[in-house]
Amino acid sequence: MANPEHRQPHPCPHTTAAPLTDTDNSWCEPAQGPPVAGHDNMGKVLDYFDAVHGRNGYNGSGGNIKMGFDASFADDDSVAVQWNASSIGNGRFKFGNGQVGLPPFTPLDIVGHEFTHAMLHEEGITTESIQGAAVHEHLSDVFGTFVEFDFGNTIGDRNFRMGEETTTALSGEVRDLQFPPADRDHMLDFVNAAKNQHRNSQIPSLAFSLMVNGGSHPETGVTLTPAALCTDDDICTMTLTQARSIYFDAITVFLSPGPPSFLEL
């Protein structure tokens, strides 16, 4: 596992600013909330990959991690916003403080999501195609979900919604893997244009949710039956334990270097 000394939060990942400090070691000042939450959740993500998959850090060799906070991002209209997070290469991550009055953009599933982006790049899985970018987002959402199920603080944390703690006025969560909007649950809804990776990722994410939860696809009607109720005539689900092993092997063994297609996935 990556050395805890090297999980120290930096206020800006693009400068040489010193790590945040606290004179009384209470870490309760409002401005310290995002770094403390992000630092704690990154530790859980590292522990998950070490304990469950035997992976030592994002690059497999204990690579150092730097986390920047109070970051701004340009939305689709080039307006600076703080409700986002990003993996920016070489073990560096940046997180926004979230919307006014809402928690920072550092919940466990989002931190796990960004860590997975870094791991995917280390494995040579890239985003240079429209489908490849969507697969990157899908895999990162899936591992954010796995981490939350294993290391979430409460039963309520363990769900198939991404970033629901940072709820937006429009959607209530960043993405819902189990119940995506009706216009992004089938390949007929695929948007073959750049900047649609988050939307398009929900197509395979619904398939993942059905694979472990069971249920019927809203468009095709194909039904998966929970394993405990399955008969020889049914399509059966798998457990989360089985799914996380399959997905990890897909990333580290089976997917070819470069941008993967939905078909390859």
Side-chain angles (χ1 to χ4, degrees), residues 31-43:
Q32 295 171 343
V36 169
H39 185 269
D40 180 56
N41 284 330
M42 184 61 81

Side-chain angles (χ1 to χ4, degrees), residues 184-259:
R184 55 192 70 180
D185 59 14
H186 190 277
M187 278 304 293
L188 294 175
D189 302 318
F190 185 84
V191 179
N192 193 30
K195 296 186 177 181
N196 283 282
Q197 63 267 29
H198 297 101
R199 173 194 177 98
N200 290 333
S201 74
Q202 294 185 267
I203 298 170
S205 290
L206 173 59
F208 158 73
S209 173
L210 290 171
M211 184 173 70
V212 296
N213 290 314
S216 297
H217 193 283
E219 296 294 333
T220 67
V222 173
T223 298
L224 281 80
T225 303
L229 305 174
C230 222
T231 69
D232 291 342
D233 297 325
D234 296 324
I235 304 174
C236 304
T237 62
M238 64 179 64
T239 66
L240 273 175
T241 299
Q242 292 169 325
R244 68 191 186 189
S245 295
I246 290 171
Y247 267 82
F248 188 74
D249 285 348
I251 290 173
T252 58
V253 179
F254 295 111
L255 288 178
S256 301

Side-chain angles (χ1 to χ4, degrees), residues 106-130:
T106 53
L108 181 58
D109 50 4
I110 289 180
V111 176
H113 172 105
E114 298 304 337
F115 179 94
T116 304
H117 276 308
M119 181 177 71
L120 289 168
H121 283 295
E122 287 292 322
E123 294 294 328
I125 299 169
T126 60
T127 61
E128 286 91 357
S129 71
I130 293 170

